[in-house]
Structures are given as C-alpha cells and as structure tokens.
C-alpha cells in the first residue's frame, strides 16, 4: 500500500540525491474528483498529470472515466508507488508513469492536463501549454493560477480553488471570407482567449460587436454602420487556417 502523506512538505525526494522543484502534497479525493469533472474527462481522452506524485489523479481518471492517463514525475520512488497503486486499482492497462522532468517531457498528445504545482512553475510551463497543446485541450490546476492568463472557469472545493483553461487557437491576424453575397474582413488582436480588433463588410468599415474564443472556435458579430442587426459567424480554426465558417442565425423576438 502506498504511503498517502509521505514527504508531504519535503522538497527532497526519498530517492537520495533527488531535489524536487515542487514539494509533494497530495490532492484530497474530493479535489481530485472535482478536477476531473471540471476537465470533463471521458473515455476518449488522453490525460497527462504533470508532477503526478503517487499517481492518484492518473488512477482516478482511468478508474472513473476509463480515460488513458499518463503521469510525469521526476521522483523514481513516487513512480514506483504509482505503479503499485495502479495495479491495486486494476487500471494498469490504461495508465503509464514516466520518470522525466515536466519541463522537457512531451505531453503534446494530451486532450486534458492536470497540475498541482506552484504559481512560479505554472508560469514557466504556460508557454509550452499554449504552443504545444492542441487548441481545445483543457488544463486544470489545483490551487494555483496562470498569472495574466485568466481561467475560463473556476470552482471552489472547501477552501481550495480549482482553475480551468481551454487552450485557445491562434487567431491573431487578418482573416477574410464571403457569405451571402457579402465579403468580410477582420483584423484581430489576441491575448490568450480575449480577442478584439476591427472589421469590414464589402470593403466598408463595420463594427466588431462581439467576440468569443473557446478552443478552436471563434464566435463573432459584425454590424454594418447604420444597421440594427449583426451578421454572426462561428469560425473553426485548424493549423493556422480557417477550417469551417458557420453563420449563426439569431431568432427574432416573438411578438403578440
């Protein structure tokens, strides 16, 4: 049986000579459950837990959601405990644990990532999370946020804050398309999932009324000057290009 609170606040691994960037403090079961729920982990997901410790998040993802789950951990003693726990939980076919530094490990295949690190470590990982994970990947952190990258959702379990981000597509730049006999152009400026900019319809300056970026999908509303209604679209991005354009039809208010 693995030791639940071994080395709770000790930065030194129980493996001699191994120094850890983050002290091992395990997440409580209710927090683990909330993290997986917030990440919306299901059987089609590949979850990576960065700094996986004794493997409890990885095992829980496999046991409760039948997800494939991988833990990245630098401490070989924790890795051994995690494998033992996975075997006891009868999910060894769904999980793996890799002894590697989280700053060099390849986690690009993940559709969900969980973290219980430190604010400073989250900040160091942030550029890799944004550049190497696919748009739409969910990132969930226990207790610590990502600085100026605001969370898409926040949940509180007791006194613990849990944060969720959805990796946004890169939509910065100029984009053009045609629909319904009109030509559209937007010049977008992006800061994480926050998007602003300017718009044109048929070459005339228009109003960019609203934007909402969630993963690969950008919803926006463009209104011609002097018009009462906006033209609304959902743009799906992939590999730096618009993959699909879907007009959004807004229903008119009912009259009596």
């Amino acid at each position: 049986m693995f030791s639940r609170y071994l080395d709770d606040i000790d930065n030194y691994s129980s493996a001699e000579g191994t120094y850890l960037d983050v002290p091992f403090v395990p997440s409580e079961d209710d927090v683990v459950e909330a993290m997986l729920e917030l990440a919306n982990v299901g059987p089609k997901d590949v979850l990576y837990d960065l700094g996986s410790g004794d493997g409890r998040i990885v095992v829980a993802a496999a046991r409760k959601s039948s997800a494939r789950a991988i833990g990245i951990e630098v401490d070989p003693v924790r890795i051994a405990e995690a494998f033992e726990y996975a075997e006891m939980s009868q999910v060894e076919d769904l999980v793996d644990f890799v002894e590697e530094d989280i700053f060099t490990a390849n986690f690009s295949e993940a559709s969900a990532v969980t973290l219980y690190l430190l604010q400073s470590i989250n900040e160091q990982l942030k550029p890799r999370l944004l550049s190497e994970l696919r748009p739409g990947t969910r990132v969930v952190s226990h207790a610590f946020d990502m600085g100026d990258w605001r969370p898409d959702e926040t949940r509180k379990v007791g006194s613990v804050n849990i944060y969720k981000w959805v990796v946004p597509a890169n939509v910065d730049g100029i984009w053009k398309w045609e629909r319904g006999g009109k030509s559209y152009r937007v010049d977008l400026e992006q800061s994480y999932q926050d998007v602003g900019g300017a718009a044109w319809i048929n070459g005339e300056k228009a109003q960019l009324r609203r934007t909402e970026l969630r993963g690969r999908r950008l919803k926006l509303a463009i209104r011609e000057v002097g018009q009462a209604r906006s033209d609304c679209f959902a743009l799906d991005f992939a590999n730096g290009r618009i993959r699909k354009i879907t007009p959004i039809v807004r229903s008119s208010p009912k009259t009596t």
Side-chain angles (χ1 to χ4, degrees):
M1 182 67 180
F2 67 95
S3 176
R4 187 178 181 189
Y5 294 111
L6 182 64
D7 295 340
D8 264 7
I9 56 173
D10 188 355
N11 281 52
Y12 285 90
S13 164
S14 44
E16 186 176 354
T18 301
Y19 183 81
L20 308 178
D21 289 319
V22 180
F24 174 56
V25 182
S27 298
E28 295 295 334
D29 291 342
D30 57 347
V31 173
V32 171
E33 183 175 351
M35 291 176 72
L36 296 176
E37 184 179 305
L38 195 58
N40 195 28
V41 175
K44 295 182 179 181
D45 279 308
V46 178
L47 178 138
Y48 272 69
D49 185 29
L50 305 185
S52 54
D54 58 19
R56 63 183 61 198
I57 292 178
V58 170
V59 169
R63 188 177 63 232
K64 296 181 180 181
S65 303
S66 299
R68 186 161 69 88
I70 297 95
I72 306 297
E73 174 59 52
V74 73
D75 185 346
V77 173
R78 299 293 178 214
I79 292 280
E81 292 175 346
F83 273 119
E84 181 182 355
Y85 182 36
E87 186 176 1
M88 290 174 56
S89 302
Q90 299 182 329
V91 294
E92 62 269 28
D93 291 340
L94 285 172
V95 307
D96 195 12
F97 297 96
V98 180
E99 184 185 338
E100 193 170 350
D101 192 319
I102 59 174
F103 293 111
T104 58
N106 182 358
F107 47 78
S108 60
E109 69 166 334
S111 57
V113 173
T114 51
L115 312 167
Y116 185 18
L117 302 170
L118 296 172
Q119 178 78 42
S120 59
I121 304 299
N122 281 4
E123 290 274 12
Q124 292 177 64
L125 277 173
K126 181 169 61 177
R128 289 195 63 201
L129 297 172
L130 287 163
S131 64
E132 298 178 26
L133 293 174
R134 291 166 294 182
T137 300
R138 292 92 68 198
V139 179
V140 173
S141 174
H142 174 178
F144 299 101
D145 64 21
M146 295 274 185
D148 61 350
W149 183 14
R150 65 173 178 81
D152 291 289
E153 296 181 50
T154 304
R155 182 174 299 183
K156 207 170 188 69
V157 179
S159 61
V160 174
N161 288 316
I162 303 173
Y163 303 95
K164 175 184 176 179
W165 300 263
V166 179
V167 175
N170 182 4
V171 303
D172 197 88
I174 297 174
W175 306 95
K176 301 176 182 180
W177 68 95
E178 294 184 357
R179 279 294 185 278
K182 296 181 181 180
S183 63
Y184 298 86
R185 173 188 168 193
V186 291
D187 187 352
L188 302 178
E189 298 178 352
Q190 177 180 6
S191 176
Y192 305 113
Q193 70 270 51
D194 297 323
V195 178
W200 292 260
I201 299 177
N202 294 331
E204 299 291 333
K205 190 68 181 292
Q207 299 173 329
L208 184 59
R209 301 278 295 182
R210 183 172 56 255
T211 63
E212 179 187 332
L213 179 59
R214 182 83 166 183
R216 292 185 290 267
R217 172 163 285 200
L218 172 66
K219 294 181 180 180
L220 45 77
I222 306 172
R223 182 177 297 180
E224 293 180 86
V225 175
Q227 297 298 313
R229 295 177 64 88
S230 298
D231 297 340
C232 302
F233 298 93
L235 310 182
D236 290 304
F237 289 80
N239 301 318
R241 303 180 68 177
I242 298 177
R243 182 176 61 86
K244 183 179 179 182
I245 302 171
T246 306
I248 300 174
V249 179
R250 298 190 179 276
S251 58
S252 300
K254 294 182 179 180
T255 58
T256 57

